[in-house]
Coordinates of all heavy atoms in Angstrom, one line a residue:
T1 N 75.4 120.9 134.4 CA 76.7 120.3 134.8 C 77.8 121.4 134.7 O 77.9 122.1 133.7 CB 77.2 119.2 133.8 OG1 76.1 118.3 133.6 CG2 78.4 118.4 134.4
P2 N 78.6 121.6 135.8 CA 79.6 122.7 135.8 C 80.7 122.4 134.8 O 81.0 121.3 134.6 CB 80.1 122.8 137.2 CG 79.7 121.4 137.8 CD 78.5 120.9 137.1
A3 N 81.2 123.4 134.1 CA 82.3 123.3 133.2 C 83.6 123.1 134.0 O 83.8 123.6 135.1 CB 82.4 124.5 132.3
V4 N 84.4 122.2 133.4 CA 85.7 121.9 134.1 C 86.7 122.7 133.4 O 86.9 122.6 132.1 CB 86.0 120.4 134.0 CG1 87.4 120.1 134.5 CG2 84.9 119.6 134.7
A5 N 87.5 123.5 134.1 CA 88.6 124.3 133.5 C 89.8 123.4 133.3 O 90.1 122.6 134.2 CB 88.9 125.4 134.4
T6 N 90.3 123.5 132.1 CA 91.5 122.7 131.8 C 92.6 123.6 131.5 O 92.4 124.7 130.9 CB 91.3 121.7 130.7 OG1 90.9 122.5 129.5 CG2 90.2 120.7 131.0
T7 N 93.8 123.2 131.7 CA 95.0 124.0 131.4 C 95.5 123.5 130.1 O 95.7 122.3 129.9 CB 96.1 123.8 132.5 OG1 95.5 124.2 133.7 CG2 97.3 124.7 132.2
P8 N 95.8 124.4 129.1 CA 96.3 123.9 127.8 C 97.7 123.3 128.0 O 98.4 123.6 129.0 CB 96.4 125.2 127.0 CG 96.3 126.3 128.0 CD 95.6 125.8 129.2
P9 N 98.0 122.2 127.2 CA 99.3 121.6 127.4 C 100.4 122.6 127.1 O 100.3 123.5 126.3 CB 99.2 120.5 126.3 CG 98.2 120.9 125.4 CD 97.2 121.8 126.1
V10 N 101.5 122.3 127.8 CA 102.7 123.2 127.7 C 103.5 122.6 126.5 O 103.8 121.4 126.6 CB 103.5 123.2 129.0 CG1 104.8 124.0 128.7 CG2 102.7 123.8 130.1
A11 N 103.8 123.3 125.5 CA 104.6 122.9 124.4 C 106.0 123.2 124.6 O 106.4 124.3 125.0 CB 104.1 123.5 123.1
T12 N 106.8 122.2 124.5 CA 108.3 122.3 124.5 C 108.8 122.1 123.1 O 108.6 121.1 122.5 CB 108.9 121.3 125.4 OG1 108.4 121.5 126.7 CG2 110.4 121.5 125.5
T13 N 109.4 123.1 122.5 CA 109.8 123.0 121.1 C 111.3 123.2 121.0 O 111.9 123.9 121.8 CB 109.1 124.0 120.2 OG1 109.4 125.3 120.7 CG2 107.6 123.8 120.2
L14 N 111.8 122.5 120.0 CA 113.2 122.7 119.6 C 113.2 123.1 118.1 O 112.3 122.8 117.4 CB 113.9 121.3 119.8 CG 114.1 120.8 121.2 CD1 114.7 119.4 121.1 CD2 114.9 121.7 122.0
P15 N 114.2 123.7 117.7 CA 114.3 124.1 116.3 C 114.3 122.9 115.4 O 114.8 121.8 115.8 CB 115.6 124.9 116.1 CG 116.1 125.1 117.5 CD 115.4 124.2 118.4
V16 N 113.7 122.9 114.2 CA 113.6 121.8 113.3 C 114.3 122.3 112.0 O 114.1 123.4 111.6 CB 112.2 121.4 113.0 CG1 112.1 120.3 112.0 CG2 111.5 120.9 114.3
A17 N 115.1 121.4 111.4 CA 115.8 121.7 110.2 C 114.9 122.0 109.0 O 115.2 122.8 108.2 CB 116.8 120.6 109.9
T18 N 113.7 121.4 109.0 CA 112.8 121.7 108.0 C 111.5 122.1 108.7 O 111.3 121.8 109.8 CB 112.5 120.4 107.1 OG1 112.0 119.4 108.0 CG2 113.8 120.0 106.4
T19 N 110.6 122.7 108.0 CA 109.3 123.1 108.6 C 108.3 122.1 108.3 O 107.8 122.0 107.1 CB 108.9 124.5 108.0 OG1 109.9 125.4 108.2 CG2 107.6 125.0 108.7
P20 N 107.9 121.2 109.2 CA 106.9 120.2 109.0 C 105.5 120.7 109.1 O 105.3 121.7 109.8 CB 107.2 119.2 110.1 CG 107.7 120.0 111.2 CD 108.5 121.1 110.6
A21 N 104.7 120.2 108.2 CA 103.3 120.6 108.2 C 102.5 119.7 109.2 O 102.7 118.5 109.2 CB 102.7 120.6 106.8
V22 N 101.6 120.2 109.9 CA 100.7 119.4 110.8 C 99.6 118.9 109.9 O 98.9 119.8 109.3 CB 100.2 120.2 112.0 CG1 99.3 119.3 112.8 CG2 101.4 120.6 112.8
A23 N 99.4 117.6 109.8 CA 98.3 117.1 108.9 C 97.6 116.0 109.6 O 98.2 115.4 110.5 CB 98.9 116.7 107.6
T24 N 96.4 115.7 109.2 CA 95.7 114.6 109.7 C 96.1 113.3 109.1 O 96.0 112.2 109.7 CB 94.2 114.7 109.6 OG1 93.9 114.9 108.2 CG2 93.7 115.9 110.4
T25 N 96.7 113.3 107.9 CA 97.2 112.1 107.3 C 98.7 112.4 107.1 O 99.2 113.5 106.8 CB 96.6 111.8 105.9 OG1 96.7 113.0 105.1 CG2 95.1 111.5 106.1
P26 N 99.5 111.3 107.2 CA 101.0 111.5 107.1 C 101.3 112.0 105.7 O 100.8 111.5 104.7 CB 101.5 110.1 107.3 CG 100.4 109.3 107.9 CD 99.1 110.0 107.5
P27 N 102.3 112.9 105.6 CA 102.7 113.4 104.3 C 103.6 112.4 103.6 O 104.2 111.5 104.3 CB 103.5 114.7 104.7 CG 104.0 114.4 106.0 CD 102.9 113.6 106.7
V28 N 103.6 112.4 102.3 CA 104.5 111.5 101.5 C 105.6 112.3 101.1 O 105.5 113.4 100.5 CB 103.7 110.9 100.3 CG1 104.6 110.1 99.5 CG2 102.5 110.2 100.8
A29 N 106.8 111.9 101.4 CA 108.0 112.6 101.0 C 108.2 112.5 99.4 O 108.2 111.4 98.9 CB 109.3 112.0 101.6
T30 N 108.2 113.6 98.8 CA 108.3 113.7 97.3 C 109.7 114.0 96.9 O 110.1 113.8 95.8 CB 107.3 114.7 96.7 OG1 107.6 115.9 97.3 CG2 105.9 114.2 97.0
T31 N 110.5 114.6 97.8 CA 111.9 115.0 97.4 C 112.8 114.6 98.6 O 112.4 114.6 99.7 CB 112.1 116.5 97.2 OG1 111.7 117.2 98.4 CG2 111.2 116.9 96.0
P32 N 114.0 114.2 98.3 CA 114.9 113.8 99.4 C 115.3 115.0 100.2 O 115.3 116.1 99.7 CB 116.1 113.2 98.6 CG 116.1 113.8 97.3 CD 114.6 114.0 97.0
P33 N 115.7 114.8 101.4 CA 116.1 116.0 102.3 C 117.4 116.6 101.7 O 118.2 115.9 101.1 CB 116.3 115.4 103.6 CG 116.5 113.9 103.4 CD 115.8 113.6 102.2
V34 N 117.5 117.9 102.0 CA 118.7 118.6 101.5 C 120.0 118.0 102.2 O 121.0 117.7 101.6 CB 118.6 120.1 101.7 CG1 119.9 120.8 101.3 CG2 117.4 120.6 100.9
A35 N 119.9 117.9 103.5 CA 121.0 117.4 104.3 C 120.6 116.1 104.9 O 119.5 116.0 105.5 CB 121.5 118.4 105.3
T36 N 121.4 115.0 104.9 CA 121.0 113.8 105.5 C 121.6 113.6 106.9 O 121.1 112.9 107.7 CB 121.5 112.6 104.6 OG1 122.9 112.7 104.5 CG2 120.8 112.5 103.3
T37 N 122.6 114.4 107.2 CA 123.1 114.4 108.6 C 123.5 115.8 108.9 O 123.9 116.6 108.1 CB 124.4 113.5 108.7 OG1 125.4 113.9 107.8 CG2 124.1 112.0 108.5
P38 N 123.4 116.2 110.2 CA 123.8 117.5 110.6 C 125.3 117.7 110.4 O 126.0 116.8 110.7 CB 123.4 117.6 112.1 CG 122.8 116.3 112.5 CD 122.9 115.4 111.3
P39 N 125.7 118.8 110.0 CA 127.2 119.0 109.9 C 127.8 119.0 111.2 O 127.2 119.3 112.2 CB 127.3 120.4 109.2 CG 125.9 121.1 109.4 CD 124.9 120.0 109.6
S40 N 129.1 118.6 111.2 CA 129.8 118.6 112.5 C 129.9 120.0 113.1 O 130.0 121.0 112.4 CB 131.2 118.1 112.3 OG 132.0 118.9 111.5
G41 N 129.7 120.1 114.4 CA 129.7 121.4 115.1 C 128.3 122.1 115.0 O 128.2 123.2 115.5
S42 N 127.3 121.4 114.4 CA 126.0 122.0 114.3 C 125.3 122.0 115.7 O 125.8 121.3 116.6 CB 125.1 121.3 113.3 OG 124.8 120.0 113.7
E43 N 124.3 122.8 115.8 CA 123.6 122.8 117.1 C 123.0 121.5 117.4 O 122.3 120.9 116.5 CB 122.5 123.9 117.0 CG 121.8 124.1 118.3 CD 120.9 125.3 118.3 OE1 121.1 126.2 117.5 OE2 120.0 125.3 119.2
P44 N 123.2 120.9 118.6 CA 122.8 119.6 118.9 C 121.3 119.4 119.1 O 120.7 118.4 119.1 CB 123.5 119.2 120.2 CG 123.8 120.5 120.8 CD 124.0 121.5 119.6
D45 N 120.5 120.5 119.2 CA 119.1 120.5 119.5 C 118.3 120.7 118.2 O 117.1 121.0 118.3 CB 118.7 121.5 120.5 CG 119.2 121.1 121.9 OD1 119.5 119.9 122.1 OD2 119.3 122.0 122.8
V46 N 118.9 120.5 117.1 CA 118.2 120.7 115.8 C 117.9 119.3 115.2 O 118.8 118.5 115.1 CB 119.0 121.6 114.8 CG1 118.3 121.6 113.4 CG2 119.2 122.9 115.3
V47 N 116.6 119.1 114.9 CA 116.2 117.8 114.3 C 116.7 117.8 112.9 O 116.4 118.7 112.1 CB 114.7 117.6 114.4 CG1 114.3 116.3 113.7 CG2 114.2 117.6 115.8
S48 N 117.5 116.8 112.5 CA 118.0 116.8 111.1 C 116.9 116.5 110.1 O 115.9 115.9 110.5 CB 119.1 115.8 111.0 OG 118.6 114.5 111.1
A49 N 117.1 116.9 108.9 CA 116.2 116.5 107.8 C 116.0 115.0 107.7 O 114.9 114.6 107.5 CB 116.7 117.1 106.5
R50 N 117.1 114.3 107.9 CA 117.0 112.8 107.8 C 116.1 112.3 109.0 O 115.3 111.4 108.7 CB 118.4 112.2 107.9 CG 118.5 110.7 107.8 CD 119.9 110.2 107.9 NE 119.9 108.8 107.5 CZ 121.0 108.2 107.5 NH1 122.2 108.7 107.7 NH2 121.0 106.9 107.1
A51 N 116.3 112.8 110.2 CA 115.5 112.3 111.3 C 114.0 112.6 111.1 O 113.1 111.8 111.3 CB 115.9 112.9 112.6
W52 N 113.7 113.8 110.5 CA 112.3 114.2 110.3 C 111.8 113.3 109.2 O 110.6 112.9 109.2 CB 112.2 115.7 109.9 CG 110.8 116.1 109.7 CD1 110.2 116.4 108.6 CD2 109.8 116.2 110.8 NE1 108.9 116.7 108.8 CE2 108.6 116.6 110.1 CE3 109.8 116.0 112.1 CZ2 107.4 116.7 110.9 CZ3 108.7 116.1 112.8 CH2 107.5 116.5 112.2
E53 N 112.5 113.0 108.1 CA 112.1 112.2 107.1 C 111.7 110.8 107.6 O 110.7 110.2 107.2 CB 113.1 112.1 105.9 CG 112.6 111.2 104.8 CD 113.7 111.0 103.7 OE1 114.9 111.1 104.0 OE2 113.2 110.7 102.6
H54 N 112.5 110.3 108.5 CA 112.3 108.9 109.1 C 111.0 109.0 109.9 O 110.2 108.0 109.8 CB 113.4 108.5 110.0 CG 114.6 108.1 109.2 ND1 115.8 107.7 109.8 CD2 114.9 108.0 107.9 CE1 116.7 107.4 108.9 NE2 116.2 107.6 107.7
F55 N 110.7 110.1 110.6 CA 109.5 110.2 111.3 C 108.3 110.2 110.4 O 107.3 109.6 110.6 CB 109.5 111.5 112.2 CG 108.3 111.7 113.0 CD1 108.1 110.9 114.2 CD2 107.4 112.6 112.7 CE1 107.0 111.0 114.9 CE2 106.2 112.8 113.5 CZ 106.0 112.0 114.6
Q56 N 108.4 111.0 109.3 CA 107.3 111.0 108.3 C 107.1 109.7 107.7 O 105.9 109.3 107.5 CB 107.6 112.1 107.2 CG 107.6 113.5 107.7 CD 108.0 114.5 106.7 OE1 109.0 114.3 106.0 NE2 107.2 115.5 106.5
L57 N 108.2 108.9 107.4 CA 108.0 107.6 106.8 C 107.3 106.6 107.7 O 106.5 105.8 107.3 CB 109.4 107.1 106.3 CG 110.0 107.8 105.1 CD1 111.4 107.3 104.9 CD2 109.2 107.6 103.9
L58 N 107.7 106.7 109.0 CA 107.0 105.9 110.0 C 105.5 106.1 110.0 O 104.7 105.2 110.0 CB 107.6 106.1 111.4 CG 107.0 105.3 112.5 CD1 107.1 103.9 112.3 CD2 107.6 105.8 113.8
N59 N 105.1 107.4 110.0 CA 103.6 107.7 109.9 C 103.0 107.2 108.6 O 101.9 106.7 108.6 CB 103.4 109.2 110.1 CG 103.3 109.5 111.6 OD1 102.9 108.7 112.4 ND2 103.7 110.8 111.9
Q60 N 103.7 107.3 107.5 CA 103.2 106.8 106.3 C 103.0 105.3 106.3 O 102.0 104.8 105.9 CB 104.2 107.2 105.1 CG 103.8 106.7 103.8 CD 104.8 107.0 102.7 OE1 105.7 107.9 102.9 NE2 104.7 106.4 101.6
L61 N 104.0 104.6 106.9 CA 103.9 103.1 107.0 C 102.7 102.7 107.9 O 102.0 101.8 107.6 CB 105.2 102.5 107.5 CG 106.3 102.4 106.5 CD1 107.6 101.9 107.2 CD2 105.9 101.5 105.4
R62 N 102.5 103.4 109.0 CA 101.4 103.2 109.9 C 100.1 103.4 109.2 O 99.1 102.6 109.3 CB 101.5 104.1 111.1 CG 102.5 103.7 112.1 CD 102.7 104.8 113.2 NE 101.5 105.3 113.8 CZ 100.9 104.8 114.8 NH1 101.4 103.7 115.5 NH2 99.8 105.3 115.3
A63 N 100.0 104.4 108.4 CA 98.7 104.7 107.7 C 98.4 103.7 106.6 O 97.2 103.4 106.4 CB 98.8 106.1 107.0
E64 N 99.4 103.1 106.0 CA 99.2 102.1 105.0 C 99.0 100.7 105.5 O 98.4 99.9 104.8 CB 100.4 102.1 104.0 CG 100.6 103.4 103.2 CD 102.0 103.4 102.5 OE1 102.8 102.4 102.6 OE2 102.2 104.4 101.9
G65 N 99.5 100.5 106.7 CA 99.5 99.1 107.2 C 100.6 98.3 106.6 O 101.3 98.8 105.7
F66 N 100.9 97.1 107.2 CA 102.1 96.4 106.7 C 101.9 94.9 107.0 O 101.4 94.5 108.0 CB 103.3 96.9 107.4 CG 104.6 96.4 106.7 CD1 105.1 96.9 105.5 CD2 105.3 95.4 107.4 CE1 106.2 96.4 105.0 CE2 106.5 94.9 106.8 CZ 106.9 95.4 105.6
T67 N 102.4 94.1 106.1 CA 102.4 92.6 106.3 C 103.9 92.2 106.2 O 104.6 92.5 105.2 CB 101.6 91.9 105.2 OG1 100.3 92.3 105.3 CG2 101.7 90.4 105.5
C68 N 104.4 91.7 107.3 CA 105.8 91.3 107.4 C 106.0 90.0 106.6 O 105.1 89.3 106.4 CB 106.1 91.0 108.9 SG 106.0 92.4 110.0
P69 N 107.3 89.8 106.2 CA 107.6 88.6 105.4 C 107.2 87.3 106.2 O 106.8 86.3 105.5 CB 109.1 88.7 105.2 CG 109.4 90.1 105.3 CD 108.4 90.7 106.3
G70 N 107.2 87.3 107.5 CA 106.8 86.2 108.3 C 105.3 86.0 108.4 O 104.8 85.0 109.0
G71 N 104.5 86.9 107.9 CA 103.1 86.8 107.9 C 102.3 87.7 108.9 O 101.1 87.7 108.9
D72 N 103.1 88.3 109.8 CA 102.4 89.2 110.8 C 101.8 90.4 110.1 O 102.4 91.0 109.2 CB 103.4 89.7 111.8 CG 103.9 88.7 112.8 OD1 103.1 87.7 113.0 OD2 105.0 88.8 113.3
V73 N 100.5 90.6 110.4 CA 99.8 91.7 109.7 C 99.5 92.8 110.6 O 99.0 92.6 111.7 CB 98.5 91.2 109.1 CG1 97.6 92.3 108.4 CG2 98.7 90.0 108.1
F74 N 99.8 94.0 110.2 CA 99.5 95.2 111.0 C 98.6 96.1 110.1 O 98.9 96.6 109.1 CB 100.8 96.0 111.3 CG 101.8 95.2 112.1 CD1 102.7 94.4 111.6 CD2 101.7 95.3 113.5 CE1 103.6 93.7 112.4 CE2 102.5 94.5 114.3 CZ 103.5 93.7 113.7
A75 N 97.3 96.2 110.7 CA 96.3 97.0 110.0 C 96.7 98.4 109.9 O 97.4 99.0 110.7 CB 95.0 96.8 110.7
P76 N 96.1 99.1 108.9 CA 96.4 100.6 108.8 C 95.9 101.3 110.0 O 94.9 101.0 110.6 CB 95.6 101.0 107.6 CG 95.4 99.8 106.8 CD 95.3 98.7 107.8
N77 N 96.7 102.3 110.4 CA 96.4 103.1 111.6 C 96.4 104.6 111.1 O 97.5 105.1 110.9 CB 97.4 102.9 112.7 CG 97.0 103.7 114.0 OD1 96.3 104.6 113.9 ND2 97.5 103.2 115.1
P78 N 95.3 105.2 110.9 CA 95.2 106.5 110.4 C 95.6 107.7 111.3 O 95.7 108.8 110.9 CB 93.7 106.7 110.0 CG 93.0 105.8 111.0 CD 93.9 104.7 111.2
V79 N 95.9 107.3 112.6 CA 96.2 108.3 113.6 C 97.7 108.5 113.6 O 98.5 107.6 114.0 CB 95.7 108.0 115.0 CG1 96.1 109.1 116.0 CG2 94.2 107.7 115.0
P80 N 98.2 109.6 113.0 CA 99.7 109.8 113.0 C 100.3 110.0 114.4 O 99.6 110.6 115.3 CB 99.9 111.0 112.1 CG 98.6 111.8 112.2 CD 97.5 110.8 112.5
L81 N 101.5 109.6 114.5 CA 102.2 109.9 115.8 C 102.5 111.4 115.8 O 102.7 112.0 114.8 CB 103.5 109.1 115.8 CG 103.4 107.5 115.8 CD1 104.8 106.9 115.7 CD2 102.7 107.1 117.1
K82 N 102.6 111.9 117.0 CA 103.0 113.3 117.2 C 104.5 113.4 117.6 O 104.9 112.6 118.5 CB 102.1 114.0 118.3 CG 100.7 114.0 117.8 CD 99.8 114.7 118.9 CE 98.4 114.7 118.5 NZ 97.5 115.3 119.5
F83 N 105.2 114.3 117.1 CA 106.6 114.4 117.4 C 106.8 115.0 118.8 O 106.1 116.0 119.1 CB 107.3 115.3 116.3 CG 108.8 115.2 116.4 CD1 109.5 114.2 115.8 CD2 109.5 116.2 117.2 CE1 110.9 114.1 115.9 CE2 110.9 116.1 117.3 CZ 111.6 115.1 116.6
D84 N 107.6 114.4 119.6 CA 107.8 114.9 121.0 C 109.2 115.3 121.1 O 110.2 114.5 121.1 CB 107.5 113.8 122.0 CG 107.6 114.2 123.4 OD1 108.6 114.9 123.8 OD2 106.7 113.9 124.2
C85 N 109.5 116.6 121.2 CA 110.9 117.2 121.2 C 111.7 116.6 122.4 O 112.9 116.3 122.2 CB 110.8 118.7 121.3 SG 110.1 119.4 119.8
L86 N 111.1 116.5 123.6 CA 111.8 116.1 124.7 C 112.2 114.6 124.6 O 113.3 114.2 124.9 CB 111.0 116.3 126.0 CG 110.8 117.7 126.4 CD1 109.9 117.8 127.6 CD2 112.1 118.4 126.7
L87 N 111.3 113.8 124.1 CA 111.6 112.4 123.8 C 112.6 112.2 122.8 O 113.6 111.4 122.9 CB 110.3 111.6 123.4 CG 110.4 110.1 123.3 CD1 110.9 109.5 124.6 CD2 109.1 109.5 122.9
W88 N 112.5 113.0 121.7 CA 113.6 112.9 120.7 C 114.9 113.3 121.2 O 115.9 112.6 121.0 CB 113.2 113.9 119.5 CG 114.4 114.1 118.6 CD1 114.7 113.3 117.6 CD2 115.3 115.2 118.6 NE1 115.9 113.8 116.9 CE2 116.2 115.0 117.6 CE3 115.5 116.3 119.4 CZ2 117.3 115.8 117.3 CZ3 116.5 117.2 119.2 CH2 117.4 116.9 118.1
K89 N 115.0 114.3 122.0 CA 116.3 114.7 122.6 C 116.9 113.6 123.5 O 118.0 113.3 123.5 CB 116.2 116.1 123.3 CG 117.5 116.6 123.8 CD 117.4 118.0 124.4 CE 118.8 118.5 124.8 NZ 118.7 119.9 125.4
A90 N 116.0 113.1 124.4 CA 116.4 112.0 125.3 C 117.0 110.8 124.5 O 118.0 110.2 124.9 CB 115.3 111.6 126.2
S91 N 116.3 110.4 123.5 CA 116.7 109.3 122.7 C 118.0 109.5 122.0 O 118.9 108.7 121.9 CB 115.6 108.8 121.7 OG 115.4 109.8 120.7
R92 N 118.2 110.8 121.5 CA 119.4 111.1 120.8 C 120.6 111.1 121.8 O 121.6 110.5 121.5 CB 119.3 112.5 120.1 CG 120.6 112.9 119.3 CD 120.5 114.3 118.8 NE 120.2 115.3 119.8 CZ 121.1 115.8 120.7 NH1 122.3 115.3 120.7 NH2 120.7 116.7 121.6
L93 N 120.4 111.7 123.0 CA 121.4 111.7 124.0 C 121.8 110.2 124.4 O 122.9 109.9 124.6 CB 121.1 112.5 125.2 CG 121.0 114.0 124.9 CD1 120.4 114.8 126.1 CD2 122.3 114.6 124.5
H94 N 120.8 109.4 124.5 CA 121.0 108.0 124.9 C 121.8 107.3 123.9 O 122.7 106.5 124.1 CB 119.7 107.3 125.2 CG 119.8 105.9 125.6 ND1 120.5 105.5 126.7 CD2 119.4 104.7 125.0 CE1 120.5 104.1 126.8 NE2 119.8 103.7 125.8
S95 N 121.5 107.5 122.6 CA 122.2 106.9 121.5 C 123.6 107.4 121.5 O 124.6 106.6 121.2 CB 121.5 107.2 120.1 OG 120.3 106.7 120.1
E96 N 123.9 108.7 121.7 CA 125.2 109.2 121.7 C 126.0 108.5 122.9 O 127.2 108.2 122.7 CB 125.2 110.7 121.9 CG 124.8 111.4 120.6 CD 124.6 112.9 120.8 OE1 125.0 113.4 121.9 OE2 124.2 113.6 119.8
D97 N 125.4 108.4 124.0 CA 126.0 107.8 125.2 C 126.4 106.3 124.9 O 127.5 105.9 125.2 CB 125.2 107.9 126.4 CG 125.8 107.3 127.6 OD1 126.9 107.8 128.1 OD2 125.3 106.3 128.2
M98 N 125.5 105.6 124.3 CA 125.8 104.2 123.9 C 127.0 104.1 123.0 O 127.9 103.3 123.1 CB 124.6 103.5 123.3 CG 123.5 103.2 124.3 SD 122.1 102.2 123.6 CE 121.5 103.2 122.3
A99 N 127.0 105.0 122.0 CA 128.1 105.0 121.0 C 129.5 105.4 121.7 O 130.5 104.7 121.5 CB 127.9 106.0 119.9
E100 N 129.4 106.4 122.6 CA 130.7 106.8 123.3 C 131.2 105.7 124.3 O 132.4 105.6 124.5 CB 130.4 108.1 124.0 CG 130.2 109.3 123.1 CD 129.8 110.6 123.8 OE1 129.7 110.5 125.1 OE2 129.5 111.6 123.1
Q101 N 130.2 105.0 124.9 CA 130.6 104.0 125.9 C 130.7 102.6 125.4 O 130.9 101.7 126.2 CB 129.6 104.1 127.1 CG 129.5 105.5 127.7 CD 130.8 106.0 128.3 OE1 131.5 105.2 128.9 NE2 131.0 107.3 128.2
S102 N 130.4 102.4 124.1 CA 130.5 101.1 123.4 C 129.6 100.1 124.1 O 130.0 99.0 124.5 CB 131.9 100.6 123.4 OG 132.7 101.5 122.7
Y103 N 128.3 100.4 124.2 CA 127.3 99.4 124.7 C 126.0 99.7 123.9 O 125.8 100.7 123.2 CB 127.1 99.6 126.2 CG 126.3 100.8 126.6 CD1 124.9 100.7 126.9 CD2 126.9 102.0 126.8 CE1 124.2 101.8 127.3 CE2 126.2 103.1 127.2 CZ 124.8 103.0 127.5 OH 124.1 104.1 127.9
F104 N 125.1 98.7 124.1 CA 123.8 98.8 123.5 C 122.7 98.4 124.5 O 122.8 97.3 125.0 CB 123.7 98.0 122.2 CG 122.3 98.1 121.6 CD1 122.0 99.1 120.7 CD2 121.3 97.1 121.8 CE1 120.8 99.2 120.1 CE2 120.1 97.2 121.2 CZ 119.8 98.3 120.4
S105 N 121.7 99.2 124.8 CA 120.7 98.9 125.8 C 119.5 99.8 125.6 O 119.6 100.9 125.2 CB 121.3 99.1 127.2 OG 120.2 98.9 128.1
H106 N 118.3 99.2 125.8 CA 117.1 100.0 125.8 C 116.6 100.2 127.2 O 115.4 100.6 127.3 CB 116.0 99.3 124.9 CG 116.3 99.3 123.5 ND1 116.4 100.5 122.8 CD2 116.5 98.4 122.6 CE1 116.7 100.3 121.5 NE2 116.8 99.0 121.4
T107 N 117.4 100.0 128.2 CA 116.9 100.2 129.6 C 117.7 101.3 130.2 O 118.8 101.7 129.8 CB 117.0 98.9 130.4 OG1 118.3 98.5 130.4 CG2 116.1 97.9 129.8

């Protein structure tokens, strides 16, 4: 069978306020982030420590599974989500636009 040549994925990266480790299991935050929000006038393309902590907590919850108070059960999912810089930036810009224009929408 002939080998199929594949092109490696193109990585788009943005600076991150903390250096996250790539792991197969989600890391558990042991210390609070140094800064919870970016200072005013900071570079808009930097992921804040708070945003990164939320992302890590989401992966931790997925790995543990969860039962909602209403009884819905979500089984553990050991596959952590991967951080996507372009998606993060788009969602941040959309959130800022909603705040500036006084509306709320996911479309």
Side-chain angles (χ1 to χ4, degrees):
T1 314
V4 177
T6 59
T7 305
V10 176
T12 303
T13 60
L14 295 173
V16 176
T18 59
T19 306
V22 177
T24 56
T25 57
V28 177
T30 56
T31 58
V34 176
T36 56
T37 58
S40 63
S42 68
E43 186 170 336
D45 289 342
V46 174
V47 177
S48 70
R50 183 178 190 179
W52 184 251
E53 181 184 25
H54 287 177
F55 182 74
Q56 289 177 315
L57 289 172
L58 178 61
N59 274 332
Q60 180 182 341
L61 286 172
R62 285 171 46 89
E64 294 170 0
F66 190 77
T67 300
C68 295
D72 291 333
V73 177
F74 297 91
N77 186 338
V79 180
L81 297 172
K82 294 180 181 178
F83 193 84
D84 184 315
C85 294
L86 293 176
L87 184 59
W88 167 81
K89 186 173 182 179
S91 66
R92 184 185 53 76
L93 292 173
H94 180 60
S95 295
E96 288 174 4
D97 182 63
M98 288 190 298
E100 290 170 6
Q101 304 299 321
S102 298
Y103 74 97
F104 181 83
S105 175
H106 286 301
T107 57

